[in-house]
Amino acid sequence: MESVDLHIKGIQKSFGDKAVLKGIDVTIKDGEFVTLLGPSGCGKTTLLRIIAGFEKADEGTVILGGEDISKKSPAMRDINTVFQSYALFPHLNVYNNIAFGLKSKKTPKEEIERKVKAMMGVVNITDLAKEMPSTLSGGQKQRVALARALVNEPDILLLDEPLSALDANLRKKLQAELRDVQKKTDTTFIMVTHDQDEAIAVSDRVLVMYKGAIIQDGSPEDVYEHPVNRFVATFIGEANIIECEKISDKLIKSAFGELVVEKVPTWPMDASGKKCGGVAIRMEDIHVCNANEHFENNVFHAKILERIFRGDYWELIADFGPIKLRVMTDPDEIYNPGDEVKLYMEPQYLQVLED
Ligand code: ATP
């Protein structure tokens, strides 16, 4: 089958005098699972609605499989949407909800039956064919909505916060199922979420949005391990941020001492001629040294101020003098408030930020 990539070019959108999308350029490959991740109001739903055709962009084009679809109505695009609210037809049972689109396209009865049954199998709701929507749980309703959208074999499935109405445990289960369904159907999924863990768990690629722009585009590992700026570093996984001054290409100075880093900081010069910026380090990447460990650099003395039980790990608040950093240790590594420790920060884990 021909590959159907989505090209979004120069999309701008304002509501009144408020610029909501400020020039979005991105290509989403056929078969990718991409999430649009960002805080409330950053423009993710507006971008999704422009892809679906529910909203018109002020500038820019949407190209699907080589064709400019910017002016096509939603119904004329090979794109379906799953909403947070499920939007099932209340008067139709599960089977007929899923068959609805195929029936309106006058698909032959045997084909409808084959496709609907196959799709019910994919989303694990084979037993529910005769149930009415009012008798279903939230998770079951979302599976029906998913099957109804996918049975029409769209080029792209858009998902607008599809799991946010579900409780935490069910949400985790459905995240795994969503990923599984996406792989089985080999359909491009573009999902909006403001939940970082969800984006990291399900997608091949995360587009981090902030104030109407895509500020980072990468694999889940990439955005977690190599955040580009302070916003991404603290929005995804709450990193420690250390304010530093550039000394040389691989050496920076923090309030508690000099740090060797791998990436060259490109911070701009301030009025006093200093190049200053932030460096992020995850709490799991700060290592508490034992008595036999020696490292050439990036080792600092700190005092433990607090120990917080987090279930599968301890979070320590470590006092570095001028600043405090959060450190993660295993459940069997016990450090108490008042303990003096040596902490090591490996250069590869010190992420030099753009700002
Ligand atoms: P959320 O997670 O809260 O849905 P979002 O990132 O999806 O946020 P959008 O729904 O795209 O954000 O909204 C972006 C901005 O555009 C918000 O400030 C919102 O109030 C505004 N906005 C969206 N739709 C309209 C509209 N039809 N008319 C006026 N303003 C709108």
Side-chain angles (χ1 to χ4, degrees):
M1 223 169 69
E2 204 185 321
S3 111
V4 190
D5 295 346
L6 176 74
H7 298 280
I8 295 169
K9 293 189 175 172
I11 293 287
Q12 294 184 33
K13 177 76 183 172
S14 296
F15 290 109
D17 55 7
K18 186 172 182 200
V20 169
L21 295 174
K22 301 172 185 166
I24 304 285
D25 287 287
V26 67
T27 293
I28 292 171
K29 294 221 177 67
D30 193 7
E32 267 190 311
F33 195 145
V34 172
T35 46
L36 304 179
L37 172 68
S40 183
C42 71
K44 1 181 242 304
T45 304
T46 304
L47 181 58
L48 202 76
R49 288 172 58 78
I50 288 172
I51 298 169
F54 298 128
E55 201 76 69
K56 256 189 92 210
D58 301 333
E59 298 284 338
T61 46
V62 178
I63 296 165
L64 181 60
E67 184 195 359
D68 184 349
I69 58 164
S70 315
K71 294 198 170 65
K72 278 189 164 183
S73 69
M76 299 307 290
R77 303 182 184 201
D78 273 334
I79 296 176
N80 275 359
T81 307
V82 170
F83 300 96
Q84 179 190 337
S85 58
Y86 321 124
L88 300 179
F89 303 118
H91 58 289
L92 297 180
N93 68 20
V94 166
Y95 181 95
N96 288 323
N97 255 284
I98 300 170
F100 186 85
L102 295 173
K103 280 185 182 165
S104 28
K105 279 196 268 177
K106 307 263 182 292
T107 309
K109 199 164 176 255
E110 303 71 48
E111 192 180 334
I112 295 181
E113 202 169 316
R114 182 174 53 77
K115 286 188 170 170
V116 171
K117 281 192 174 154
M119 197 47 73
M120 293 206 316
V122 170
V123 302
N124 293 318
I125 50 166
T126 307
D127 302 343
L128 303 178
K130 294 203 170 74
E131 298 287 335
M132 297 304 282
S134 58
T135 67
L136 304 177
S137 69
Q140 289 169 331
K141 281 182 190 159
Q142 200 51 289
R143 288 192 184 94
V144 178
L146 199 57
R148 190 180 58 177
L150 284 170
V151 81
N152 300 309
E153 297 170 11
D155 290 331
I156 298 182
L157 186 70
L158 304 176
L159 304 108
D160 191 1
E161 304 257 6
L163 309 180
S164 57
L166 307 173
D167 69 56
N169 283 342
L170 184 57
R171 196 169 170 146
K172 280 224 167 98
K173 186 163 178 282
L174 277 186
Q175 285 168 1
E177 286 187 21
L178 212 52
R179 174 130 195 106
D180 189 43
V181 168
Q182 193 266 338
K183 293 291 161 228
K184 276 187 190 152
T185 57
D186 200 23
T187 306
T188 308
F189 275 29
I190 306 176
M191 182 170 93
V192 159
T193 182
H194 59 261
D195 180 331
Q196 311 85 311
D197 294 340
E198 185 159 291
I200 285 177
V202 300
S203 36
D204 298 317
R205 199 171 144 206
V206 181
L207 306 180
V208 186
M209 291 186 67
Y210 185 58
K211 294 187 176 170
I214 293 171
I215 54 170
Q216 189 160 3
D217 172 353
S219 66
E221 295 85 355
D222 224 23
V223 293
Y224 187 83
E225 301 286 351
H226 309 289
V228 291
N229 61 18
R230 283 164 205 258
F231 171 75
V232 181
T234 47
F235 187 66
I236 301 175
E238 301 175 56
N240 292 293
I241 306 273
I242 307 168
E243 301 302 332
C244 294
E245 180 192 342
K246 180 173 173 176
I247 305 292
S248 68
D249 278 355
K250 296 284 162 93
L251 197 63
I252 55 176
K253 192 167 100 188
S254 73
F256 52 85
E258 288 182 347
L259 288 162
V260 174
V261 290
E262 286 193 335
K263 190 179 147 195
V264 180
T266 53
W267 301 321
M269 202 176 288
D270 66 12
S272 60
K274 290 178 179 172
K275 292 184 173 181
C276 297
V279 170
I281 186 158
R282 304 273 173 206
M283 63 172 159
E284 64 268 31
D285 294 330
I286 300 180
H287 173 70
V288 187
C289 303
N290 64 39
N292 306 319
E293 281 177 310
H294 299 286
F295 298 97
E296 257 178 49
N297 36 47
N298 295 5
V299 178
F300 304 95
H301 288 273
K303 191 177 190 172
I304 304 303
L305 290 181
E306 247 185 276
R307 186 185 65 182
I308 305 159
F309 182 55
R310 297 286 186 198
D312 45 0
Y313 66 92
W314 291 107
E315 178 180 335
L316 307 177
I317 309 295
D319 185 355
F320 281 70
I323 67 164
K324 296 171 185 53
L325 297 180
R326 293 180 313 135
V327 179
M328 181 192 280
T329 58
D330 288 340
D332 57 350
E333 282 183 87
I334 306 289
Y335 297 95
N336 292 302
D339 284 356
E340 303 275 345
V341 290
K342 270 195 313 181
L343 298 175
Y344 173 59
M345 301 179 204
E346 200 176 331
Q348 64 161 325
Y349 297 127
L350 285 161
Q351 297 304 314
V352 174
L353 305 172
E354 285 170 0
D355 56 354

